[in-house]
Amino acid sequence: MYHTLLKPLLFRFDAEKAHHLVFDNLKRGYRLPGTPALLRRLYDFEHPALAREVFGLPFRNPVGLAAGFDKNAVLTDELGALGFGFVEIGTVTPRPQPGNPTPRLFRLPEDEGLINRMGFNNEGAAAAAARLHLRRDRGLIIGGNIGKNKDTPNEQAAQDYIACVEALHAEVDYFVVNVSSPNTPNLRQLQEREPLIDLLQQVQTRNQALPQPRPLLLKIAPDLTDGQLDDILLIARETQLAGLVATNTTISREGLRTARSHVERLGAGGLSGRPLQQRATNVIRYLSHHSRGKLPIIGVGGIHSPQDALEKLTAGASLVQLYTGFIYEGPSLIKRINQALVQQ
């Protein structure tokens, strides 16, 4: 039904309008008697072999939703009913901000990709925490992807990340520090060795001082060189990170089927989906190999099939996340991946 009816309908709308349309209707529909049970019957797949313990947390299955889809923690119960083993909300900033001007989200159907320059549009950490406090599905692992406000100078960025940790600590199971989005000016400068060590040390110090410190992860860009990836591994060890999320969107436009002129008209932004598949897998494999498999990795980037998910896991990922593949393939993708994992 998704491929024959819903997807063709949704793809007639502007990408961001379609996103909000799905959110509104899923939220309304979930309130109807019997809908949660129906969604679970259609899309959820449970099996003891799917359970994972990663950075000390019990995941009921290894398939999660990447940050960027449910920025404001609006649909965590609903997404859990679709079969996700965990949901990463955000990116959340301390204060609400509108993000970049619209239009800012574009499909590349020929490439099964998306370009976004959303710019951390969100309602702020306090609003996300309030929603999470009311959620019903307490078995669903929740990650908090955190960032800095656009108008916060890089020199003061640590205070923004710490504010998010303090606001969300009681409501999330792990944190992801996002310094790899290409859509906030100068943010990726924080990926350089010295600024990143300083940032992570400050955030980790505050995290460890709170009751029941949360696992702290770092989300990295796919555009890093091998030398920069080596630095990331050293920094992860020095700042006692629990794991990495590999990878964020790319600024590369190489190898696209979509006409170059059309891509250029769309403008700047991070590219996700199928074009990112191989690079993300290569980064995961490199990090896993050079950490000797000791640093857990959440693999994300171009997962559009069970085979794509298995590729990430074989490369060294402990868990995987969907975003663009979820949009192109629909909710049945979660179930198909979990079924393939059990069969394997």
Side-chain angles (χ1 to χ4, degrees), residues 62-102:
V63 184
L65 180 68
F69 191 88
D70 190 4
K71 292 176 178 291
N72 296 303
V74 172
L75 288 179
T76 55
D77 286 337
E78 292 83 349
L79 292 165
L82 293 178
F84 283 110
F86 63 110
V87 169
E88 195 171 302
I89 66 151
T91 297
V92 172
T93 56
R95 292 172 282 113
Q97 62 181 27
N100 292 323
T102 58

Side-chain angles (χ1 to χ4, degrees), residues 114-172:
L114 291 174
I115 291 175
N116 93 82
R117 51 172 176 270
M118 304 300 289
F120 289 175
N121 56 307
N122 75 107
E123 297 173 10
R131 289 197 182 95
L132 289 172
H133 188 70
L134 299 175
R135 67 190 177 98
R136 296 181 179 180
D137 185 357
R138 292 286 164 173
L140 180 69
I141 296 292
I142 300 293
N145 188 295
I146 56 176
K148 77 174 189 71
N149 282 107
K150 183 178 181 179
D151 59 0
T152 300
N154 279 1
E155 296 76 20
Q156 300 171 23
Q159 296 309 309
D160 273 16
Y161 289 92
I162 289 170
C164 289
V165 167
E166 292 173 340
L168 292 166
H169 172 265
E171 306 300 339
V172 304

Side-chain angles (χ1 to χ4, degrees), residues 5-219:
L5 180 62
L6 290 179
K7 181 180 169 183
L9 176 63
L10 290 171
F11 273 43
R12 291 185 178 185
F13 290 88
D14 165 83
E16 189 169 355
K17 289 180 180 177
H19 182 86
H20 291 303
L21 183 65
V22 168
F23 262 55
D24 292 344
N25 283 282
L26 185 55
K27 194 73 179 175
R28 290 193 192 98
Y30 194 77
R31 297 192 187 106
L32 299 175
T35 298
L38 177 62
L39 290 177
R40 290 194 179 278
R41 192 177 308 121
L42 289 172
Y43 299 115
D44 197 11
F45 179 74
E46 298 180 3
H47 194 282
L50 293 171
R52 301 282 192 281
E53 183 173 312
V54 185
F55 31 84
L57 298 175
F59 293 81
R60 57 196 185 198
N61 72 62
V63 184
L65 180 68
F69 191 88
D70 190 4
K71 292 176 178 291
N72 296 303
V74 172
L75 288 179
T76 55
D77 286 337
E78 292 83 349
L79 292 165
L82 293 178
F84 283 110
F86 63 110
V87 169
E88 195 171 302
I89 66 151
T91 297
V92 172
T93 56
R95 292 172 282 113
Q97 62 181 27
N100 292 323
T102 58
R104 55 193 180 182
L105 181 63
F106 311 94
R107 305 183 192 93
L108 301 181
E110 291 180 62
D111 293 286
E112 295 183 83
L114 291 174
I115 291 175
N116 93 82
R117 51 172 176 270
M118 304 300 289
F120 289 175
N121 56 307
N122 75 107
E123 297 173 10
R131 289 197 182 95
L132 289 172
H133 188 70
L134 299 175
R135 67 190 177 98
R136 296 181 179 180
D137 185 357
R138 292 286 164 173
L140 180 69
I141 296 292
I142 300 293
N145 188 295
I146 56 176
K148 77 174 189 71
N149 282 107
K150 183 178 181 179
D151 59 0
T152 300
N154 279 1
E155 296 76 20
Q156 300 171 23
Q159 296 309 309
D160 273 16
Y161 289 92
I162 289 170
C164 289
V165 167
E166 292 173 340
L168 292 166
H169 172 265
E171 306 300 339
V172 304
D173 299 290
Y174 70 89
F175 285 106
V176 177
V177 172
N178 186 356
V179 293
S180 53
S181 170
N183 301 315
T184 294
N186 303 319
L187 182 70
R188 284 193 171 191
Q189 293 177 6
L190 293 173
Q191 290 187 122
E192 297 299 324
R193 181 182 174 84
E194 295 308 319
L196 186 55
I197 290 176
D198 181 60
L199 171 68
L200 291 174
Q201 283 179 335
Q202 291 189 59
V203 176
Q204 187 70 283
T205 296
R206 183 59 184 133
N207 177 45
Q208 293 297 324
L210 292 167
Q212 296 181 319
R214 304 304 188 215
L216 187 68
L217 288 77
L218 174 69
K219 189 165 188 174

